[in-house]
Amino acid sequence: MSDTEIMKGAPRLSLTDRVSIVKNNPSFSFTFPIVVLLLIISVFGAATGGDFFGKNIFVGIFNQAIIIGTMATAVSFIYTTGNLDISVGNTMALSATIGALVYNLTGNANLMVVSAIISGILLMLFNCTMSVIFGVKSITVAIVMIQLYSAIVSNILGPETLKVDYAMCKIMENAGFRYAAFIIYFILCFIVFHLTSAGRELRFIGGNEICANQTGMNANKAKYISFFMAGIGVGLAAVFTIIRTGSVSTEVGNGMGMDVMLATVLGGMSIFGGAKSNSYAGLLGALTVSALNKGLLMVGISPTVIQGVRGAVFLLLVYMNSERPQTLPTRQQV
């Protein structure tokens, strides 16, 4: 029997099977976010008559992506273990408030940075502890913490905006603090995620927690590690927010949780975690989210409609890219 006759006798693949084959391709998680980013740039470039390709537009997109990218890189550690935390925006707002208060009390920028980062770590570890001690899913704890942290920030700030010395913020901005801090944090995350046994354990637990426990891995310990790494990123994002505007208000962090989730999924991460997780998805996704937000504004879409568009895109991507992996990571999957 010839190959042609064999092919004719083979059952035809359904659309679902074809989509599944594409999604499970090893290169899909890397090429997908790049293709989406290029597609968004091309579409909005054409829709704005080329204005979208301006240097200032790209600089603005990149600057916005640094804050979202830092947050998305941070939560990728949590998502890898199969957990979700949508309170990071409010956690960042509270950390920024504490950092701004410390600066206004001491006039020391170093203490502001340290206090914001420590606050981010402690708040995220508190979220983790509530989940571990009471055996509650992290997403449930996060929903409660959104209300709690938002109430604390509103109680501290009231209707006022907490201002910080703008000259100090300008000095830090001009000195490239944001870029240097983000690069250092990104390298740290890459090393921990891809080059250490702790990072591999996180992916194992996200792939199959029961199997990971049977091999001697401690799921709770891994959970604390993931929230600790996330807390560093949340604290850094708080500092970036302070020096970007020179102030903190109750509006800080609103909607950030959605942007971070969208960036993570757009970057190729599965919200179910596991072997396909990586540390660079947040950065790729943040660039895409920032480009999407900027492009929609430039073509005259209202902020309300933009929220709806982002929600629809998120649901589509969850379907396309968030199937729980069926395999555990190998030593070659770095």
Side-chain angles (χ1 to χ4, degrees), residues 128-136 220 224:
C128 180
T129 301
M130 291 297 101
S131 175
V132 170
I133 290 180
F134 296 107
V136 181
N220 287 339
Y224 272 106

Short mmCIF file of all heavy atoms in Angstrom, two decimals, residues 128-136 220 224:
data_model
loop_
_atom_site.label_atom_id
_atom_site.label_comp_id
_atom_site.label_asym_id
_atom_site.label_seq_id
_atom_site.Cartn_x
_atom_site.Cartn_y
_atom_site.Cartn_z
N CYS A 128 0.31 34.48 51.63
CA CYS A 128 0.68 33.06 51.54
C CYS A 128 0.36 32.33 52.84
O CYS A 128 -0.18 31.22 52.83
CB CYS A 128 2.17 32.95 51.21
SG CYS A 128 2.77 31.26 51.05
N THR A 129 0.68 32.97 53.97
CA THR A 129 0.44 32.34 55.27
C THR A 129 -1.05 32.08 55.50
O THR A 129 -1.43 31.02 56.02
CB THR A 129 1.00 33.24 56.39
OG1 THR A 129 2.40 33.44 56.18
CG2 THR A 129 0.79 32.60 57.75
N MET A 130 -1.88 33.05 55.14
CA MET A 130 -3.33 32.86 55.28
C MET A 130 -3.81 31.66 54.47
O MET A 130 -4.67 30.90 54.91
CB MET A 130 -4.06 34.13 54.81
CG MET A 130 -3.89 35.35 55.68
SD MET A 130 -4.57 35.13 57.36
CE MET A 130 -3.06 34.80 58.28
N SER A 131 -3.21 31.50 53.29
CA SER A 131 -3.60 30.37 52.44
C SER A 131 -3.12 29.04 53.03
O SER A 131 -3.86 28.06 53.06
CB SER A 131 -3.03 30.56 51.03
OG SER A 131 -3.29 29.44 50.23
N VAL A 132 -1.87 29.03 53.54
CA VAL A 132 -1.29 27.78 54.05
C VAL A 132 -1.94 27.37 55.37
O VAL A 132 -2.33 26.21 55.55
CB VAL A 132 0.24 27.95 54.24
CG1 VAL A 132 0.82 26.75 54.99
CG2 VAL A 132 0.92 28.11 52.90
N ILE A 133 -2.07 28.32 56.30
CA ILE A 133 -2.58 27.98 57.64
C ILE A 133 -4.04 27.53 57.59
O ILE A 133 -4.42 26.53 58.20
CB ILE A 133 -2.44 29.20 58.58
CG1 ILE A 133 -0.97 29.44 58.90
CG2 ILE A 133 -3.23 28.98 59.88
CD1 ILE A 133 -0.73 30.62 59.83
N PHE A 134 -4.86 28.26 56.85
CA PHE A 134 -6.29 27.96 56.83
C PHE A 134 -6.68 27.03 55.68
O PHE A 134 -7.86 26.70 55.53
CB PHE A 134 -7.10 29.26 56.75
CG PHE A 134 -6.92 30.14 57.96
CD1 PHE A 134 -6.17 31.30 57.89
CD2 PHE A 134 -7.47 29.78 59.18
CE1 PHE A 134 -6.00 32.11 59.01
CE2 PHE A 134 -7.30 30.57 60.30
CZ PHE A 134 -6.56 31.74 60.23
N GLY A 135 -5.71 26.62 54.88
CA GLY A 135 -6.00 25.69 53.80
C GLY A 135 -6.96 26.27 52.78
O GLY A 135 -7.76 25.54 52.18
N VAL A 136 -6.88 27.59 52.59
CA VAL A 136 -7.76 28.27 51.62
C VAL A 136 -6.98 28.53 50.34
O VAL A 136 -5.78 28.82 50.39
CB VAL A 136 -8.25 29.61 52.21
CG1 VAL A 136 -9.18 30.30 51.22
CG2 VAL A 136 -8.95 29.37 53.53
N ASN A 220 4.30 23.56 50.49
CA ASN A 220 4.17 24.80 51.25
C ASN A 220 5.45 25.63 51.20
O ASN A 220 5.41 26.86 51.09
CB ASN A 220 3.81 24.49 52.71
CG ASN A 220 2.38 24.01 52.86
OD1 ASN A 220 1.54 24.27 52.00
ND2 ASN A 220 2.09 23.31 53.93
N TYR A 224 5.88 29.43 49.70
CA TYR A 224 6.50 30.59 50.36
C TYR A 224 7.59 31.20 49.49
O TYR A 224 7.74 32.43 49.43
CB TYR A 224 7.06 30.17 51.72
CG TYR A 224 6.06 30.26 52.85
CD1 TYR A 224 5.49 29.12 53.40
CD2 TYR A 224 5.67 31.50 53.36
CE1 TYR A 224 4.56 29.20 54.43
CE2 TYR A 224 4.74 31.60 54.38
CZ TYR A 224 4.19 30.44 54.91
OH TYR A 224 3.25 30.53 55.92
#
